[in-house]
Each structure stands twice: as C-alpha cells, then as structure tokens.
Amino acid sequence: MRSFVGANWKMNGSGVEGLAYLERLKDSDVESEPVDVVLFAPFTLLPVLAEDAREAGISLGAQDLYWQDRGAFTGEISTSMLLEAGCSWVIVGHSERRNLFGEDDELVRLKLIAALRAGLRAVLCVGELLEEREAGRTEEVVKGQVLRALEGLEEADPDRVVLAYEPVWAIGTGRNATPDEAARMHGLIRSWLSDMIGEMGAKDTRIIYGGSVNPENAPDLMTREGIDGALVGGASLGASSFLQIIRSCCHHHEH
Ligand code: 13P
C-alpha cells in the first residue's frame, strides 16, 4: 500500500508562497518517493498552483466543497468548479468544518457522495473532542462518524477514499496522540470498515493520522502498524518540515 501524506494549509498561504513551495518539492524530487502527496490549498490558490503541482509530481486538493452542482448557494464551491481548478482530491468533514462551522454527519455524507460521483477522491476526517474523550465516548463518537459517512456507500472504494483520524484535542495544540493510542484507534476504524465493506476493502483503505504531526514525532507514528500516512496542518506550511514528514512515511513503506 502506498502511504498518503496531505498538507492541509487551512486558511494560510499565498500564490507566491505556494509557487516557491512547489519549486522546493520539485527540486527535492518528491515525485520519485513511494508516497501519494496532496496539497490541500485554499480555493483561490488552486488554479494558480495547478500546473506547478503537476510538474512537482503531487496532486492538488480542496479543503471543502458543497454537494449541489450549481445554484443559489452564495459562497459555496461545487465539484465541477474544483475539477476545473485542477483539483483531484477534497477533504470532507474536517473537524474545523464540523466544530466551527456546524457541519453534521448528514452534510458530510452528502459532500462525500457528491465528491466521489464527480470523480474526485476524498479524505474523510473523523475524530473526537476532548470532552468526548474525557467522558469515555471516543470509540462511540468516531464509530458513529465513520458509519454515518460511509455505510452503504458503493462509491467508497479504497482507491478513492482515505480516512483521516484526527483527534480534535491534538489539532494545532502541539499535543499529538501517542503512537500506541493512534494505532489502537486506527485498528478499531479498520475493524468497523471491515464490517461495512469487507476485510479486503478495509485492508486496502489508507487510514492516516492527523493532529500535531511534525518532523520529530512523524517517524514514530508512521512506523506503527495500520498508520498509513499523515494529514499535516501547521508543519506542512514550510517545505522543509513537510519534506521531512514525507520521508518518514516513505521509510514506513519500505518495511
Ligand atoms: P495540525 O497539524 O496543525 O495539528 O493540524 C492537523 C489538521 O487538522 C490537519 O487536517
């Protein structure tokens, strides 16, 4: 299985910075690494970066989408707009969308279906809040998110969907889940997937970890069984730290 590493820039970056960043990835020959690298840039940067991303051998993704294809939805972006902008991936259900902008499981599912039907690939994010973890509800919460997004969804094959486990208390806090705890949650997610889509599909689905991944903790996280890559926020903004994380994931692949 090829590892997957995503840079989620969130609401950061500019065209000039983005082009310089892609130049660095190109010079570092990221293309030859046995890992799928995707840059999730803000909407306005997608067409600006599309050509250089292709030259650097990485894919471009959006951080969100709307499920309707057109119409009176002020401020929203459709799948055909993303495709035209040069995107092949999209994030759905990021915790910031869920918690800051009120997205529920039903909307996340509609977005996932729209993305897959349009031919985009998707990173589906799940993860519990600190208060849910402290109340002993982590497994129930994450299982609910996985099931409500994916149950009965025929389009959700391992080629087109990556799951990201991102415990909300670990995002942007500098406090990552321990590799043991991340691996335990990944194992559980894979077992729920297996119940839904069968053992083969679950085995082939990449489950990546997100939440304060950086060049220091990546080697330990990425060598754990069942952790197939990373979704990186803060540490993806600089090309050199993101490159180090990419390389940690490649070593995982060689084992
Ligand atoms: P940080 O790496 O900044 O904690 O963000 C993680 C994340 O939300 C990636 O989607």
Side-chain angles (χ1 to χ4, degrees):
M1 174 193 297
R2 269 171 84 84
S3 302
F4 179 103
V5 189
N8 178 8
W9 276 9
K10 309 189 178 182
M11 200 173 71
N12 295 288
S14 69
V16 170
E17 286 166 9
L19 292 171
Y21 185 94
L22 290 172
E23 192 67 31
R24 286 283 312 280
L25 298 198
K26 194 170 144 190
D27 290 347
S28 310
D29 202 18
V30 154
E31 196 169 10
S32 66
E33 308 280 6
V35 48
D36 290 336
V37 177
V38 183
L39 171 57
F40 295 93
F43 294 132
T44 52
L45 299 189
L46 296 171
V48 177
L49 301 181
E51 191 182 327
D52 290 64
R54 200 167 35 245
E55 284 171 11
I58 73 163
S59 301
L60 215 50
Q63 299 168 14
D64 189 24
L65 79 162
Y66 194 58
W67 61 277
Q68 297 268 21
D69 199 51
R70 67 180 63 76
F73 305 102
T74 301
E76 296 298 318
I77 299 271
S78 71
T79 54
S80 50
M81 293 169 184
L82 293 182
L83 289 163
E84 187 182 25
C87 244
S88 47
W89 285 87
V90 64
I91 294 174
V92 293
H94 191 277
S95 69
E96 284 145 22
R97 299 301 319 169
R98 292 177 189 265
N99 299 312
L100 300 176
F101 302 104
E103 293 195 6
D104 59 15
D105 286 326
E106 194 184 344
L107 182 57
V108 171
R109 183 180 173 93
L110 287 169
K111 289 183 172 193
L112 180 61
I113 292 172
L116 297 175
R117 292 207 174 138
L120 290 161
R121 293 164 198 244
V123 175
L124 168 67
C125 297
V126 297
E128 80 286 0
L129 296 164
L130 182 59
E131 63 251 38
E132 291 165 339
R133 174 162 285 263
E134 285 174 343
R137 297 184 50 229
T138 299
E139 294 170 20
E140 157 204 340
V141 166
V142 175
K143 185 176 184 179
Q145 291 170 338
V146 172
L147 259 60
R148 284 191 286 275
L150 288 174
E151 201 153 46
L153 202 67
E154 277 168 26
E155 292 88 346
D157 66 82
D159 240 18
R160 306 162 55 70
V161 177
V162 168
L163 261 95
Y165 172 58
E166 301 203 299
V168 181
W169 46 270
I171 295 179
T173 57
R175 184 180 160 203
N176 61 286
T178 62
D180 285 346
E181 176 55 8
R184 188 184 76 86
M185 287 303 297
H186 283 225
L188 284 171
I189 292 170
R190 208 177 299 279
S191 72
W192 301 325
L193 265 181
S194 180
D195 292 343
M196 259 187 300
I197 64 169
E199 201 179 329
M200 289 288 281
K203 202 169 122 282
D204 290 342
T205 301
R206 290 174 292 187
I207 305 177
I208 64 175
Y209 171 78
S212 296
V213 175
N214 60 40
E216 288 71 45
N217 60 31
D220 199 4
L221 282 162
M222 295 305 134
T223 45
R224 293 304 164 114
E225 178 80 33
I227 302 185
D228 307 314
L231 190 56
V232 190
S236 76
L237 295 174
S240 63
S241 63
F242 188 53
L243 278 162
Q244 287 178 61
I245 295 169
I246 292 171
R247 300 220 165 91
S248 310
C249 294
C250 300
H251 292 134
H252 162 61
H253 180 86
E254 284 159 16
H255 288 147

